[in-house]
Amino acid sequence: MTPDRYPDNPVLASAWRGDRIESVHRGSWCLVDSSGHVLEQAGTIEHPFFTRSAVKALQVLPLFESGAAARYALTDEEVALAVSSHNAEPCHVETALGLLARIGLGPESLGCGPQPPGDSDARFALKSSGGRPARIHNNCSGKHAGFLALTRHLGADPARYLDFESESQVLVRAAVAEMCGVAPESLGRATDGCSAPTFRMSLRAVATAFARYTTPDGLAPERRAAAERVVAAVQKHPVLLAGRSKRICTALVEASGGKLFPKIGAEAVYVIGVPGRDLGLAVKMDDGGMRGLHAVVIGLLRRLDLLEASVADALESYAQTTLRNWDGLVIGRITLP
Amino acid sequence: MTPDRYPDNPVLASAWRGDRIESVHRGSWCLVDSSGHVLEQAGTIEHPFFTRSAVKALQVLPLFESGAAARYALTDEEVALAVSSHNAEPCHVETALGLLARIGLGPESLGCGPQPPGDSDARFALKSSGGRPARIHNNCSGKHAGFLALTRHLGADPARYLDFESESQVLVRAAVAEMCGVAPESLGRATDGCSAPTFRMSLRAVATAFARYTTPDGLAPERRAAAERVVAAVQKHPVLLAGRSKRICTALVEASGGKLFPKIGAEAVYVIGVPGRDLGLAVKMDDGGMRGLHAVVIGLLRRLDLLEASVADALESYAQTTLRNWDGLVIGRITLP
């Protein structure tokens, strides 16, 4: 194993109980433009991280650029699902099954492992009906359906579509690297929670990629068209990006009226492109936890003037500026430095 | 609000993906004897934290010392539940209801808020039957039943049993403070997740309290008897301390054959007394998360020779020395420094 050293990052969020700080969440973030110029930052932003599901919108690009999306006539719903980390609500499962069927494959072709639905109602319904968590319920099944459509279009072997050197993954890696402004062979890689390749890059690089994605004037025509199609599909179907309840990505698209293009990744990675404003934001919390990440994302958007105050107030359940206990008593709050 | 500063603590656990550290968990811990002598430590151990549910075994002492436990003939099951953070499995709910009935109260007397059962089977059964999470399902309902028994015995008002200055809470605070070797008025306090008072003390102080609790030679006879009764009850009924599945406290009592007296607290606090060995261990993870806490607790017990290697191996699911994804692939590991 390569020795590794994690950077020393500052406290980005503090959880108070009464008049004392009970726990803290450290991390790093940056706001950049599409040239990679850093406008604001905290902590170490050149350290490479696995960006996990935060870069699904980059991983999907070859699906369009190859012609696969046109050939299989992907709907906007299927496009939004292909860049989602979803809750396995009925709309997510049906959309994934629909795309798989149209490319002549069944859910058993998915290479992502079985995962219980993220949505509690969907979990309850599955268990009540005697069903068991399956690959289709994996939060990444939409991305995998997209990978399989690309693989089919390329005439490659669907059994090998997750191999690092498979035809589809070579295209995916090249697109991710190019958007991040690095050479494909320099992208660190590992296996993601859904068994797909995951890539390692700096916060600065991934923030730049999302600034370029959502202000795509400088991209090649096919890539620009692909990025615009994905952003529009997510604006139209925010629930397919994540889910109805307790999902910050869906909430941000809905609350901002599509003025933000956000995506979460496991281990507390967050990226946001701001359509038309030449801005990309990337956040990584050191501890990998969601509490600090949610509070920091909402707090930064408010502070950076990317979310109107009234809209930010509606996202209070993520910011947790008021913490309540099981009986509804106010017991503390989360603050940013 | 009082200004507060959280200490800078070292990384205690690193989560790797492939050959890279993906996230880190910082914190502090110490191993002490019953005189408060620090044998080993990492990070800042004099900073006061809210110890939350980790000190339920201290909070229960007046129930015995007042004569309430004898008067109401508490069973070993009820004693174990009174110091538990339970899963609301049937055994937990029935035991709490039984004690409440014997003191002439119903579950509506509980001051803890309604909380869904921690156990997924219990949650599913409740929802399937059309029930809703209630106060009896709160993980602290056993502690509250104990508080109410004390309140009844004192002839005090059950409607006021959670007030900081109620008869029962004054006794509770005095016992906690005395065990920790501090003056009651110097204990910082706030409202816990279950609406009961929670106390703030250093890791050194709370570790010392648990060393004294489990090697109680120096305690007054009534307190010694109370501590011995509680430790024996937990040894006999480890499932009542937490629950059947995925609960590290129950797993540690069972795996060690009662040689450890452990308790978790919210925001990643952990205390362990080692019966007969004059040792107390206390851990607090900065980020309040369970992943780091579990890994650090198992790793420390192994390193400090408080858990045989074969026993520690059986607790691998908590230590997470191997991390697997949804498809069972090994994708990383958690390491200690």
Side-chain angles (χ1 to χ4, degrees), chain B residues 22-209:
Chain B
E22 190 165 33
S23 299
V24 293
H25 302 289
R26 293 170 182 264
S28 48
W29 64 270
C30 64
L31 181 71
V32 307
D33 65 22
S34 58
S35 70
H37 179 65
V38 178
L39 303 167
E40 296 207 45
Q41 74 170 94
T44 308
I45 65 167
E46 298 293 348
H47 182 81
F49 291 108
F50 293 114
T51 43
R52 313 287 304 269
S53 290
V55 298
K56 280 176 175 162
L58 309 182
Q59 291 170 289
V60 83
L61 288 170
L63 180 64
F64 298 91
E65 295 169 342
S66 67
R71 173 169 166 188
Y72 297 117
L74 260 67
T75 65
D76 284 341
E77 288 86 344
E78 289 162 352
V79 171
L81 195 77
V83 301
S84 78
S85 294
H86 66 71
N87 265 350
E89 298 166 23
C91 65
H92 303 123
V93 172
E94 287 157 19
T95 302
L97 288 173
L99 175 53
L100 285 171
R102 219 158 58 258
I103 59 172
L105 294 173
E108 71 287 353
S109 304
L110 292 167
C112 47
Q115 178 186 11
D119 178 65
S120 61
D121 288 344
R123 229 169 25 241
F124 181 75
L126 181 66
K127 195 166 175 176
S128 296
S129 71
R132 294 181 63 85
R135 294 170 187 270
I136 197 75
H137 303 117
N138 188 298
N139 78 88
C140 300
S141 66
K143 176 183 75 176
H144 283 254
F147 283 160
L148 283 165
L150 173 62
T151 301
R152 275 293 208 207
H153 177 66
L154 297 173
D157 180 3
R160 289 189 54 243
Y161 80 101
L162 293 178
D163 291 0
F164 281 87
E165 300 306 333
S166 66
E167 292 88 334
S168 54
Q169 291 304 327
V170 167
L171 291 178
V172 167
R173 183 161 78 246
V176 170
E178 195 174 9
M179 289 300 288
C180 291
V182 300
E185 54 282 7
S186 80
L187 274 184
R189 51 180 120 154
T191 303
D192 211 333
C194 66
S195 302
T198 180
F199 306 107
R200 196 167 183 256
M201 66 207 71
S202 72
L203 285 186
R204 191 190 52 70
V206 72
T208 305

Side-chain angles (χ1 to χ4, degrees), chain A residues 80 91 102 159 305:
Chain A
C91 64
R102 218 155 61 256
D305 226 12

Side-chain angles (χ1 to χ4, degrees), chain A residues 3 20 35 63 119 123 125 132 153 172 197 240 242 264 268 309 313 319:
Chain A
R20 298 292 172 165
S35 70
L63 180 63
D119 177 65
R123 229 166 29 240
R132 294 179 62 85
H153 177 69
V172 168
L240 288 169
I264 204 162
D313 288 346

